[in-house]
Amino acid sequence: MIAGPPTLSVIVVSRQRPEHLRLCVESLARQTHGALELVVVTDPAGEPSVEHLRGRIKLARFDVANISEARNTGLALAAGEVVAFIDDDAVAEPLWAERLAAPFADPRVSCATGPVLGRNGISPQWTPVRVGRDGMDLPLKDGLLFGPGSDGSAVKTVGTNCAFRRADLVAIGGFDPAFRYYLDETDVNHRLARLGAYTAIAKDAVVHHAVAANATRKPSRAPTDLGPVGASVAAFLARHCEPKEREGALAAHRALQESRLKAHVAARRLRRRDVAALLETFDRGAAEPAESPAPTLRASRMNAPPPFSPLPPTPQSHTVLAGRTWQIRALMAKAKEAAKAGGTVSLYVFSPTGRPHSVRFVLPGIWLQRGGLFGRSDRDTPRFRLVSFPERLSAEVARTEAVRGAPTSAGDAALRRISLKSQDTVGTRA
């Protein structure tokens, strides 16, 4: 049992995305969790992105297109009681690590996961689900703690927002190298579930996922090669699905990929003739010989990582700036100055329109939200709503408070003093 907040190792695997990696590690360097070490596993192209953190993080060079092997490389370096994973094209809200690690104070918890927001930084991209032995997603009822399903299902911990008790992950041999791109963490979920593992849902442990281009995906998110997906699906079915069910399960996965491809065609990200060619790559991948079961990590790598190396403490402050679009240059200057001092900086910039809102994390460490004063942030609310500047700002600060923290009473007072004649402010939480 872990007494108090656990030590946490956050592992980032990066390949051919140095710009995204820089944003990711900047968001991780500003986490509020008090005992966090950062482990970066990257190809040579990514090393300059973390050069400013050299000596403060654990860094491993890895230049093989296999996410499971890369994660195992990070696991061998990680010394935290809990290990968390986030993709290099994602950024974490400031309270992410603290909230994701908290459930492990319960000795039953082996895994934890949280929600993932899409490219606009507001709408859900993924919410927790169960996954069956056929690798297909299933509904998950409301709750915070789940054990293995009686139907052989397990709670899915999406790879860009997940954590595991290190001892439990090491005990099953880490990640299976057969899953070089897809279903890697889902395989882990099923192997742990067979041992009775419980999974916690950390509803306020939020990451933003850009879904950046890679070797098999365009910047538009349209795939260029489904071979690795097909190979991973076949490997998953060979390990977890009953033999008599595998053919039908493989057909269901192929149909799911076809449906996604057609959606890309409808959005004009692919041409119709691309669909058949891409499905052929899926079939070829699925026909590859199944690889042997996962090798267990060597005991020397499992049980003797380098000593825990926490990042320096982050200032526990939250600066809030807000104003109109014509004030953006001055506001950004203030925001950059505040960001250099560390802590959390949120900048809200509203135009006199009904444009929908979006949120981006930008260097040197600013959460920038832009949109119309009368536009919506939550996509489930009306597209247009008349509201004053102070009301809108207070509502947006309250919306993000659970994952970013709130200004102090002094800051709240400053927010209340905003008038339509003076539309910028700053509030700080000490």
Side-chain angles (χ1 to χ4, degrees):
M1 181 174 178
I2 296 173
T7 54
L8 179 71
S9 300
V10 179
I11 300 172
V12 184
V13 170
S14 183
R15 183 171 174 79
Q16 299 175 357
R17 295 197 290 218
E19 296 85 2
H20 287 87
L21 176 61
R22 176 63 192 273
L23 283 171
C24 179
V25 298
E26 189 64 43
S27 75
L28 297 173
R30 294 169 180 270
Q31 293 293 302
T32 60
H33 188 71
L36 181 152
E37 71 170 4
L38 180 54
V39 181
V40 177
V41 183
T42 183
D43 62 352
E47 290 187 35
S49 298
V50 296
E51 183 62 36
H52 64 296
L53 293 173
R54 190 173 292 276
R56 299 166 57 194
I57 65 173
K58 293 178 178 178
L59 178 64
R61 177 180 286 194
F62 188 90
D63 200 11
V64 178
N66 187 310
I67 192 169
S68 291
E69 288 188 11
R71 285 180 167 173
N72 285 344
T73 297
L75 180 59
L77 293 175
E81 296 163 291
V82 174
V83 290
F85 296 88
I86 182 172
D87 289 352
D88 61 348
D89 60 348
V91 292
E93 287 277 6
L95 298 179
W96 170 71
E98 182 179 333
R99 298 291 168 79
L100 191 63
F104 289 91
D106 185 333
R108 295 173 296 173
V109 173
S110 289
C111 324
T113 193
V116 178
L117 304 182
R119 284 187 170 188
N120 64 22
I122 295 173
S123 301
Q125 182 184 96
W126 182 88
T127 53
V129 296
R130 281 194 179 273
V131 61
R133 291 176 299 185
D134 58 359
M136 301 297 286
D137 290 349
L138 301 166
L140 181 68
K141 63 182 180 181
D142 287 339
L144 298 178
L145 185 63
F146 297 92
S150 58
D151 56 356
S153 64
V155 177
K156 185 175 183 177
T157 58
V158 67
T160 194
N161 188 359
C162 61
F164 304 93
R165 197 177 296 273
R166 187 185 189 277
D168 294 345
L169 184 56
V170 166
I172 63 168
F175 291 85
D176 185 339
F179 300 94
R180 35 184 212 269
Y181 175 70
Y182 183 63
L183 294 175
D184 46 300
E185 76 284 346
T186 308
D187 167 70
V188 166
N189 298 150
H190 272 269
R191 285 191 281 144
L192 286 172
R194 286 201 291 268
L195 300 177
Y198 275 74
T199 300
I201 308 300
K203 292 186 175 181
D204 291 335
V206 175
V207 302
H208 301 232
H209 191 205
V211 193
N214 60 27
T216 63
R217 184 173 63 218
K218 299 178 182 179
S220 66
R221 293 172 289 173
T224 58
D225 181 7
L226 291 176
V229 173
S232 290
V233 168
F236 186 90
L237 298 180
R239 286 156 173 75
H240 302 291
C241 193
E242 295 293 334
K244 63 182 179 180
E245 299 173 351
R246 289 174 190 167
E247 183 177 348
L250 181 61
H253 278 277
R254 190 182 192 275
L256 176 62
Q257 295 301 323
E258 183 175 11
S259 174
R260 290 173 176 172
L261 293 174
K262 289 180 177 178
H264 285 299
V265 171
R268 298 184 178 181
R269 293 188 286 265
L270 288 174
R271 298 166 296 183
R272 290 185 182 278
R273 65 174 179 266
D274 294 330
V275 174
L278 285 165
L279 288 175
E280 286 182 9
T281 67
F282 177 90
D283 295 338
R284 286 197 298 270
E288 292 180 7
E291 299 182 35
S292 59
T296 301
L297 288 172
R298 293 180 180 177
S300 60
R301 298 180 67 202
M302 278 194 298
N303 300 320
F308 187 74
S309 180
L311 288 171
T314 300
Q316 298 298 295
S317 63
H318 184 185
T319 299
V320 173
L321 293 162
R324 301 286 194 168
T325 49
W326 55 83
Q327 298 171 309
I328 183 67
R329 185 170 297 180
L331 288 168
M332 280 299 296
K334 288 183 182 179
K336 289 178 180 179
E337 182 180 352
K340 289 177 182 178
T344 299
V345 180
S346 297
L347 172 57
Y348 301 88
V349 181
F350 304 145
S351 63
T353 69
R355 290 180 179 176
H357 288 226
S358 64
V359 177
R360 290 191 303 134
F361 183 73
V362 298
L363 296 177
I366 302 162
W367 293 94
L368 173 61
Q369 178 170 333
R370 304 188 70 170
L373 178 61
F374 313 115
R376 62 183 178 181
S377 50
D378 185 340
R379 270 40 175 184
D380 292 330
T381 58
R383 290 179 178 271
F384 187 93
R385 186 170 69 91
L386 287 174
V387 64
S388 70
F389 191 101
E391 290 171 329
R392 186 58 192 264
L393 177 58
S394 294
E396 295 305 321
V397 171
R399 185 181 63 80
T400 60
E401 182 175 332
V403 296
R404 209 173 295 165
T408 58
S409 57
D412 290 334
L415 297 184
R416 288 195 297 270
R417 286 198 299 270
I418 306 172
S419 70
L420 293 180
K421 293 181 180 178
S422 177
Q423 287 108 0
D424 66 272
T425 188
V426 60
T428 301
R429 178 171 60 88

